[in-house]
């Protein structure tokens, strides 16, 4: 492939991109395309998910110490689930890259009980959105399935934390 051909291929979709950047409207009924993310960015996303799950596990364990009975059981179960997800993501990362991903696990800062519970609920809701977005953009079918499963789990955990937070007021 010569340089001119390489440049032509690089610019093949430029007109459509420029129209979006310039604010041109799409024809009615035409959905915005979700382009797959490059492999190295997928691996960076996976690293950040591993870090997020490890932090969630540490946060939930620390927060569990502030609760008794039901709240403690819910939070400890969520901490164990987060560790399980982190281990599964680390295995997938190793399969993809051949490198073991061991991010630093910084301990969480746990404030007041209700504020911390709210923070955990919001974190899980954001994580569900991030997993959903990553599932739509990944190029690996196995990873897409894994991210979709984790998105549903994070959304369910956010709802469980919401119920627990509401219960704190009664």
């Amino acid at each position: 492939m010569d340089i001119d051909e390489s440049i032509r291929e690089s610019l093949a979709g430029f007109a459509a991109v420029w129209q979006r950047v310039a604010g041109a409207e799409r024809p009615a009924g035409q959905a915005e395309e979700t382009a797959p993310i490059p492999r190295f960015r997928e691996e960076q996303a996976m690293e950040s998910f591993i870090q997020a799950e490890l932090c969630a596990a540490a946060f939930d364990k620390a927060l569990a110490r502030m609760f008794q009975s039901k709240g403690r059981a819910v939070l400890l179960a969520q901490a164990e689930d987060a560790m399980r997800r982190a281990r599964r993501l680390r295995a997938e990362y190793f399969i993809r890259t051949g490198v073991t991903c061991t991010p630093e696990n910084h301990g969480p800062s746990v404030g007041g009980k209700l504020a911390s519970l709210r923070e955990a609920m919001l974190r899980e809701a954001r994580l569900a959105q991030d997993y959903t977005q990553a599932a739509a953009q990944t190029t690996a079918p196995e990873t897409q399935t894994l991210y979709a499963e984790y998105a549903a789990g994070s959304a369910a955990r956010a709802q469980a934390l919401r119920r627990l937070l509401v219960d704190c007021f009664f």
Side-chain angles (χ1 to χ4, degrees):
M1 175 183 317
D2 64 354
I3 293 175
D4 290 338
E5 188 177 327
S6 170
I7 293 171
R8 248 182 268 120
E9 285 180 9
S10 298
L11 296 175
F14 180 76
V17 170
W18 180 251
Q19 285 180 344
R20 284 196 308 264
V21 169
E25 300 216 3
R26 282 188 287 278
Q30 181 181 358
E32 185 173 337
E33 297 177 20
T34 305
I37 55 179
R39 183 174 179 85
F40 75 94
R41 291 212 25 233
E42 284 187 36
E43 292 160 1
Q44 287 176 336
M46 194 173 284
E47 286 174 11
S48 69
F49 285 136
I50 292 167
Q51 179 68 34
E53 295 294 355
L54 290 173
C55 284
F59 185 88
D60 290 345
K61 280 183 184 177
L63 185 57
R65 290 186 203 111
M66 301 172 86
F67 282 81
Q68 295 176 1
S69 65
K70 180 183 175 186
R72 180 178 296 227
V74 168
L75 291 164
L76 288 175
Q78 288 198 175
E80 184 54 39
D81 284 345
M83 286 302 293
R84 180 187 50 78
R85 290 188 306 275
R87 286 190 299 269
R88 177 66 172 93
L89 286 167
R90 288 180 69 199
E92 195 65 34
Y93 185 88
F94 182 77
I95 289 168
R96 292 173 63 106
T97 66
V99 177
T100 303
C101 180
T102 52
E104 288 187 30
N105 187 10
H106 300 288
S109 61
V110 179
K113 181 169 133 176
L114 295 178
S116 296
L117 194 55
R118 180 178 179 273
E119 183 181 331
M121 178 194 70
L122 295 174
R123 181 197 66 233
E124 286 295 339
R126 279 190 306 270
L127 196 54
Q129 291 173 343
D130 291 346
Y131 275 129
T132 299
Q133 183 178 9
Q137 294 178 341
T138 188
T139 57
E142 301 85 9
T143 306
Q144 183 179 30
T145 302
L146 185 66
Y147 285 168
E149 175 187 330
Y150 286 0
S154 288
R157 284 186 300 282
Q159 284 301 328
L161 288 169
R162 187 181 203 311
R163 285 189 298 275
L164 183 58
L165 188 55
V166 168
D167 286 350
C168 287
F169 285 91
F170 293 99

